Amino acid sequence: MATYTGKTVTEAIDNGLSDLQVNRHQSNIKVVKFPKMGMFGRVRQAAVVEIEPLSVDTDLGDTLPAETPMTADENRLLLLSSISQATAEYVKYLATEKKITLNYEIKVVPDQFFIEMSSNDEEELIGPKGQTINQFQELANQYVVNAEKKSGCARS
């Protein structure tokens, strides 16, 4: 996978697709980092994406649709998918800090996502009076809000 940067996620994706000479239909795109904005709207840290060209049979190459710009809904869905994956990995990291083995499944639907968590030791995951799972949920919500703000994908 090749890594590309840009002031925005869209710019980073466009840079990578241009460099690799592929379109979105011919690649697997993963958002690694969302941009961080500094004072006066300046980009303090660029967006980072990984792009992997998909192997395409030469016979199919001519039948793929021409590159079309992503709609706002498609762009938001891509960002939500990336945010959900990053959030799940963040919660999994938090769980390992508490010596809890955590498994998760992500379901993305338009405008929202769900992370279903499970553990071999559910009692440890829930914690006394639900404190551990509530803490994970609160930290995950904060992580999502920050990621949405950084991506420009915040809800209105």
Side-chain angles (χ1 to χ4, degrees):
M1 260 192 195
T3 303
Y4 296 93
T5 61
K7 290 181 181 178
T8 65
V9 172
T10 303
E11 182 180 301
I13 291 171
D14 290 343
N15 290 342
L17 295 175
S18 174
D19 184 55
L20 295 171
Q21 297 181 354
V22 295
N23 63 37
R24 285 180 177 86
H25 304 289
Q26 299 169 323
S27 58
N28 185 15
I29 302 169
K30 178 182 176 188
V31 179
V32 177
K33 282 187 184 175
F34 292 95
K36 290 186 180 178
M37 304 306 279
M39 294 192 63
F40 308 113
R42 293 186 180 138
V43 176
R44 193 173 77 204
Q45 186 177 34
V48 179
V49 297
E50 290 180 348
I51 302 177
E52 178 180 25
L54 300 174
S55 59
V56 179
D57 293 331
T58 54
D59 295 341
L60 296 175
D62 296 332
T63 62
L64 288 174
E67 175 66 17
T68 56
M70 286 178 73
T71 65
D73 288 341
E74 291 172 326
N75 194 23
R76 181 156 174 78
L77 191 58
L78 175 64
L79 290 172
L80 278 176
S81 295
S82 298
I83 290 171
S84 66
Q85 184 66 39
T87 304
E89 287 297 321
Y90 173 64
V91 173
K92 189 172 183 177
Y93 167 77
L94 293 174
T96 59
E97 291 292 306
K98 292 185 172 271
K99 306 213 183 322
I100 300 171
T101 303
L102 183 70
N103 300 309
Y104 62 84
E105 184 179 333
I106 301 170
K107 294 180 182 178
V108 179
V109 294
D111 220 23
Q112 59 186 338
F113 63 88
F114 303 94
I115 302 172
E116 293 181 9
M117 296 183 288
S118 63
S119 175
N120 292 340
D121 189 357
E122 302 259 331
E123 198 172 296
E124 190 71 29
L125 176 61
I126 294 169
K129 298 184 181 179
Q131 290 175 341
T132 304
I133 194 75
N134 287 341
Q135 182 182 35
F136 287 164
Q137 184 173 356
E138 185 177 321
L139 291 170
N141 285 336
Q142 289 174 0
Y143 187 89
V144 170
V145 168
N146 288 335
E148 285 181 331
K149 284 179 185 176
K150 291 175 187 176
S151 71
C153 171
R155 294 176 213 162
S156 44

